[in-house]
Amino acid sequence: MLHVRGNHDVPDGPPENPVAETKAVAPARGPGAVKLGDVTFLVLNTSDPALGGVGGSVSTEQLRAFERLLDESTGPVVVLAHHPLDDHSIEGNPLFAPFPSWAFTREREALRSVIERSARVVAVFTGHVHWGSVRLVNTIPYVSVPSFLERWHESGAAPGAYAVATLGPGRRLRVDFRSLEAGMVVSFQHG
């Protein structure tokens, strides 16, 4: 199991270790690489530093290390990060529409350029904005996983929203967005 830490996971500063895994631990401050089967999971620390304690940023050193890890990887790669690397619409998002500069990773264009040059990235998964979305950027799916506890209204139970991703042969990807409260399933398939 992989756990990607975000801007709220370490109250006194950015996470020292962006990925915790039962068998391997990434170097401090990121990026980290974990190989599971033939898939390499590259984890970015997008709180390097956290802008205003909320917004995402990746240091120049981490960007270079990420590019090196992508160059050295073989087989399919999945990128994991807390802050989104795409530019999906946040219109209507009560948390981030008023503060768009805190919604995404500041260096997202440079990161996407590195990702696209590698030709091995199957998908990018992020969170932070508390809602689910999928955006194709130059044929690569950028998936924002919804918050399990976000209610969006002051009353009522948290919906228990989450996503299940399945990677298949030939770069096939299926993502099911689910909710415990409403029992909903919304699916996205690519490849």
Side-chain angles (χ1 to χ4, degrees):
M1 173 184 284
L2 297 171
H3 170 75
V4 179
R5 294 182 180 148
N7 58 295
H8 294 294
D9 292 330
V10 180
D12 295 322
E16 287 299 316
N17 198 336
V19 61
E21 198 264 334
T22 55
K23 295 180 183 172
V25 177
R29 313 219 28 88
V34 176
K35 186 109 172 164
L36 298 173
D38 64 340
V39 179
T40 300
F41 291 85
L42 292 183
V43 183
L44 285 166
N45 175 3
T46 58
S47 294
D48 181 21
L51 305 175
V54 177
S57 180
V58 173
S59 67
T60 302
E61 296 80 17
Q62 187 179 179
L63 179 60
R64 288 185 191 131
F66 176 69
E67 186 169 19
R68 187 181 70 254
L69 285 171
L70 259 177
D71 289 343
E72 294 169 355
S73 65
T74 58
V77 173
V78 173
V79 175
L80 306 173
H82 180 69
H83 297 83
L85 305 183
D86 67 336
D87 287 306
H88 71 271
S89 174
I90 55 168
E91 184 178 330
N93 185 310
L95 300 173
F96 292 101
F99 310 102
S101 64
W102 288 0
F104 304 100
T105 304
R106 181 177 51 191
E107 297 79 12
R108 62 193 175 276
E109 288 182 24
L111 288 162
R112 286 195 309 259
S113 178
V114 168
I115 287 168
E116 291 166 19
R117 277 195 310 269
S118 79
R120 280 189 294 288
V121 176
V122 176
V124 177
F125 289 89
T126 62
H128 186 63
V129 291
H130 292 226
W131 64 11
S133 73
V134 178
R135 182 163 184 254
L136 289 178
V137 180
N138 294 324
T139 72
I140 300 170
Y142 285 73
V143 180
S144 178
V145 177
S147 170
F148 192 77
L149 298 175
E150 185 61 67
R151 293 186 312 184
W152 297 109
H153 301 287
E154 290 186 26
S155 62
Y162 62 102
V164 175
T166 306
L167 253 81
R171 300 175 64 97
R172 280 188 288 200
L173 173 69
R174 178 186 171 114
V175 179
D176 294 327
F177 293 98
R178 299 176 182 215
S179 169
L180 296 177
E181 181 186 324
M184 71 158 205
V185 176
V186 177
S187 297
F188 165 81
Q189 294 186 50
H190 180 69

